């Protein structure tokens, strides 16, 4: 017997199932009416192949979304070189805005998957990326673009952040429980890598830097609009790929009231809090890292003068890269040893790593303040005659020696945050599944119905938890720009002390709620082993 799709299905979409289901003529796009990933025979003969195909193209679309979401994280460091007179405070706020908007969009993006279908919404969300990319191209080529306009355009980059929630919610429906951790980890990692690639390739695309001497920086100056055109073209590709190669699942249908009911679940809020510590750290550090390196390790008063110190363009992408690669590893470890245990390990590693970062920061020399506008105007009259003052040169040289240790410690923060990203997303469906198993008897229709209901809740919870967790991506750049600390290095130290304390709280919560073995009459109500 065959699994049928509607009239828009292609021949290759016919798959094996128990019985054909009636099509629904009002629907558009490819809809799979019968989907039973927990049925081993169905999964092995049909489900795995279909799920894999949807996962591949979901990763591509989400990867693109992350790239657009974080396009300002690296381009903001080039704005001054293009003649825009923005302060460090304005630049940190500029990279934070997309993270705030992206976190707010994750809830409606999650709700859109059951409403419109995963394939249909992937097409829509990929097409929406044309707005921030084309707006970016306009803003950076117009020297009269005001700062508020930059903020508005940067806010639209949050569309890319919303893609993550809808993509994860969609893939969650495709895979059985024992494979969700790895599948969601791969899906998320593929998206997260977009952060690293945009930070690596954007400086090369725009002519701002070479690739470790292999590719030279452009002699014609910096052209940020080039990156916008590249990603606008990729947005069109992602839209077409979703149209031709992805599917909608009829079983994933639910109404917003059912999905938002997870807000009443205490576990939703606890996991959202923990996700601020893992994913919020990943996306926040990724956004802030280019500016952190530039402010503390680099000096270049004008583009016409050769800079000294550590060029952020060579290293800023590494954090997002190792964090992204660690995410599926975290999902795999969670499948093998339990999500809660691995999450606790991740927070413990983040505590030790941030303390190490603080130690390296204590070895840095405070850089003298950069030249003001009047001084820059004088330097611009004869750039060839400019020489860096001795205190600046000495401070940069001293900090350059510390940089390898700072970078190594910072990368370990990314590694453990990536592991935590994978393990927490394994915990979410496991928690809701445990609720279903606790409330019903094995092998009964009630158990099957409860598992389906809880799977829908888990999918909705993934979006909501992802939305709240992504707020960390806004808070971290803002904290690095602490208004109560005027000196950049002191602000950086202050921020890392705050983050370390927060990770300690997250570790305690993880242990108390999900790892600690309970004793007594209420022991069966715990979530040990998720």
């Amino acid at each position: 017997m065959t699994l049928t799709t509607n009239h828009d299905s292609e021949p290759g979409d016919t798959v094996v199932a128990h019985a054909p289901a009636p099509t629904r003529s009002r629907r558009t796009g490819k809809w799979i009416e019968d989907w039973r990933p927990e049925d081993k025979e169905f999964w092995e003969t049909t489900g795995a192949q279909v799920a894999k195909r949807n996962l591949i193209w979901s990763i591509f679309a989400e990867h693109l979304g992350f790239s657009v979401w974080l396009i300002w994280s690296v381009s903001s460091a080039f704005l001054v070189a293009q003649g825009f007179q923005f302060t460090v405070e304005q630049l940190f706020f500029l990279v934070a805005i997309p993270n705030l908007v992206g976190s707010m969009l994750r809830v409606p993006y999650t709700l859109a998957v059951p409403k419109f279908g995963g394939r249909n919404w992937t097409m829509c969300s990929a097409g929406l990326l044309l707005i921030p990319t084309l707006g970016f191209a306009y803003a950076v080529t117009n020297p009269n673009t005001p700062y508020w306009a930059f903020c508005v355009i940067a806010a639209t980059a949050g569309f890319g952040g919303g893609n993550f929630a809808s993509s994860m919610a969609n893939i969650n429906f495709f895979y059985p429980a024992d494979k969700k951790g790895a599948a969601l980890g791969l899906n998320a990692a593929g998206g997260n890598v977009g952060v690293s690639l945009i930070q690596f390739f954007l400086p090369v695309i725009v002519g701002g830097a070479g690739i470790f001497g292999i590719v030279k920086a452009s002699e014609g100056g910096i052209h940020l609009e080039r990156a916008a055109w590249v990603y606008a073209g990729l947005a069109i590709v992602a839209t077409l790929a979703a149209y031709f190669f992805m599917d909608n699942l009829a079983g994933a249908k639910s109404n917003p009231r059912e999905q938002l009911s997870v807000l009443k679940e205490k576990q939703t809020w606890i996991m959202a809090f923990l996700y601020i510590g893992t994913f919020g750290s990943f996306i926040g550090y990724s956004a802030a890292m280019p500016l952190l390196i530039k402010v503390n390790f680099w000096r270049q008063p004008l583009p016409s003068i050769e800079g000294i110190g550590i060029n952020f363009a060579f290293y800023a992408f590494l954090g997002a890269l190792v964090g992204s690669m660690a995410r599926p590893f975290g999902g795999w470890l969670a499948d093998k040893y339990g999500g809660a245990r691995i999450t606790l390990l991740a927070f413990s590693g983040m505590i030790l790593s941030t303390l190490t970062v603080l130690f390296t920061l204590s070895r840095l020399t405070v850089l003298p303040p950069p030249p003001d506008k009047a001084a820059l105007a004088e330097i611009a009259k004869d750039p060839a005659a400019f020489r860096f003052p001795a205190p600046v040169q000495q401070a940069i040289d001293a900090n350059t020696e510390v940089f390898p240790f700072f970078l190594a410690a910072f990368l370990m923060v990314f590694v453990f945050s990536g592991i935590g990203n994978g393990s927490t997303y394994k915990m979410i469906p496991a928690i809701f599944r445990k609720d279903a198993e606790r409330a019903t008897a094995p092998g009964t229709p009630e158990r099957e119905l409860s598992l389906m209901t809880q799977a829908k809740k888990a999918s909705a919870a993934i979006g909501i938890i992802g939305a709240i967790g992504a707020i960390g991506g806004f808070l971290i750049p803002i904290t690095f720009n602490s208004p109560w600390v005027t000196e950049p290095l002191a602000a950086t130290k202050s921020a890392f002390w705050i983050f370390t304390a927060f990770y300690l709280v997250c570790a305690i919560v993880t242990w108390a709620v999900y790892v600690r073995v309970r004793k007594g009459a209420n022991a069966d109500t715990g979530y040990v082993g998720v």
Side-chain angles (χ1 to χ4, degrees):
M1 296 183 180
T2 59
L3 170 74
T4 60
T5 59
N6 76 341
H7 61 278
D8 288 331
S9 299
E10 298 175 2
D13 296 322
T14 299
V15 293
V16 178
H18 287 165
T23 58
R24 302 182 183 182
S25 60
R26 290 182 298 173
R27 286 177 173 168
T28 59
K30 298 186 294 183
W31 287 88
I32 295 178
E33 302 291 343
D34 182 22
W35 187 253
R36 293 169 282 107
E38 301 296 343
D39 183 328
K40 291 185 179 180
E41 180 181 357
F42 175 84
W43 177 255
E44 292 174 358
T45 58
T46 297
Q49 182 179 358
V50 175
K52 181 180 179 180
R53 170 164 51 79
N54 280 271
L55 176 61
I56 289 172
W57 292 109
S58 174
I59 289 174
F60 177 73
E62 188 191 345
H63 172 91
L64 177 61
F66 264 93
S67 297
V68 174
W69 193 19
L70 270 292
I71 195 171
W72 289 95
S73 70
V74 61
S75 61
S76 62
F78 286 118
L79 289 178
V80 175
Q82 283 211 296
F84 295 98
Q85 298 298 316
F86 298 149
T87 65
V88 172
E89 291 78 10
Q90 287 177 315
L91 293 177
F92 267 116
F93 186 70
L94 198 59
V95 303
I97 292 175
N99 294 337
L100 177 62
V101 175
S103 68
M104 295 172 63
L105 288 178
R106 286 187 166 196
V107 172
Y109 269 56
T110 300
L111 299 178
V113 171
K115 177 68 175 179
F116 302 106
R119 173 245 194 187
N120 294 347
W121 185 251
T122 300
M123 292 168 52
C124 179
S125 60
L128 285 173
L129 297 179
L130 290 172
I131 297 175
T133 51
L134 297 180
F136 180 95
Y138 168 80
V140 298
T141 54
N142 184 356
N144 296 319
T145 304
Y147 179 72
W148 67 263
F150 272 97
C151 290
V152 171
I153 296 170
T156 65
F159 291 151
N163 283 9
F164 175 83
S166 56
S167 178
M168 294 293 278
N170 183 41
I171 293 304
N172 181 58
F173 283 114
F174 276 93
Y175 281 83
D178 62 344
K179 292 179 173 59
K180 287 183 187 293
L184 293 175
L186 283 171
N187 189 57
N192 292 172
V193 169
V195 180
S196 178
L197 290 187
I198 189 70
Q199 292 179 335
F200 181 76
F201 283 114
L202 186 143
V204 179
I205 294 172
V206 305
I211 305 178
F212 299 105
I214 299 176
V215 179
K216 294 183 179 180
S218 171
E219 297 181 356
I222 298 173
H223 300 277
L224 287 173
E225 71 279 3
R226 294 175 182 171
W229 294 121
V230 168
Y231 280 92
L234 290 175
I236 296 175
V237 173
T239 304
L240 293 175
Y243 176 81
F244 286 110
F245 304 118
M246 293 186 70
D247 302 288
N248 301 306
L249 293 181
K253 300 291 285 183
S254 65
N255 61 58
R257 179 177 296 179
E258 290 177 344
Q259 292 181 290
L260 292 177
S261 67
V262 298
L263 291 173
K264 300 176 182 179
E265 304 280 350
K266 181 175 67 174
Q267 299 305 318
T268 300
W269 294 101
I270 295 175
M271 289 304 302
F273 177 77
L274 298 182
Y275 201 57
I276 292 175
T278 56
F279 180 77
S281 295
F282 168 81
I283 202 68
Y285 290 142
S286 296
M289 192 173 183
L291 282 175
L292 280 178
I293 295 175
K294 182 175 182 179
V295 168
N296 293 293
F297 297 94
W298 174 255
R299 272 299 162 83
Q300 186 180 23
L302 294 173
S304 56
I305 295 174
E306 184 176 356
I308 57 174
I310 302 298
N311 190 338
F312 76 92
F314 295 149
Y315 302 98
F317 73 96
L318 290 174
L321 177 63
V322 299
S324 302
M325 299 301 291
R327 182 157 192 162
F329 180 60
W332 178 81
L333 287 175
D335 284 338
K336 190 174 181 64
Y337 300 106
R341 294 188 183 93
I342 301 306
T343 299
L344 180 59
L345 172 67
F347 281 124
S348 300
M350 293 175 73
I351 293 169
L352 293 175
S353 300
T354 49
L355 288 174
T356 306
V357 170
L358 280 164
F359 175 76
T360 63
L361 292 175
S362 70
R363 315 302 296 176
L364 294 182
T365 301
V366 177
L367 295 178
D372 56 24
K373 291 184 179 181
L376 287 176
E378 289 298 320
I379 295 172
K381 293 179 180 178
D382 189 9
F386 174 78
R387 297 293 182 273
F388 286 98
V392 174
Q393 185 69 60
Q394 293 170 1
I396 286 291
D397 290 343
N399 290 354
T400 299
E401 294 180 2
V402 180
F403 180 75
F405 304 99
F406 166 82
L407 180 63
F410 207 173
L411 292 182
M412 290 308 300
V413 178
F414 276 99
V415 168
F416 284 110
S417 70
I419 291 174
N421 285 340
S423 62
T424 50
Y425 259 52
K426 164 63 176 179
M427 292 173 65
I428 297 168
I431 288 170
F432 284 91
R433 182 179 180 84
K434 194 158 190 174
D435 284 338
E437 293 174 344
R438 185 184 293 126
T440 57
T444 62
E446 290 78 11
R447 168 66 63 85
E448 184 176 351
L449 178 60
S450 182
L451 287 173
M452 182 181 299
T453 301
Q454 293 300 95
K456 291 182 179 182
K457 283 189 175 182
S459 182
I462 282 174
I464 292 172
I465 290 168
I468 299 173
I471 292 177
F474 172 76
L475 297 176
I476 283 180
I478 294 298
T479 307
F480 278 127
N481 182 32
S482 305
W484 58 88
V485 182
T486 56
E487 197 273 306
L489 180 55
T492 303
K493 293 178 181 177
S494 173
F496 272 109
W497 277 117
I498 294 172
F499 303 148
T500 303
F502 179 71
Y503 300 146
L504 178 60
V505 175
C506 288
I508 293 173
V509 170
T510 303
W511 174 82
V513 179
Y514 301 114
V515 177
R516 178 170 62 95
V517 177
R518 300 174 184 271
K519 297 180 180 180
N522 295 325
D524 63 336
T525 63
Y527 291 90
V528 175
V530 297

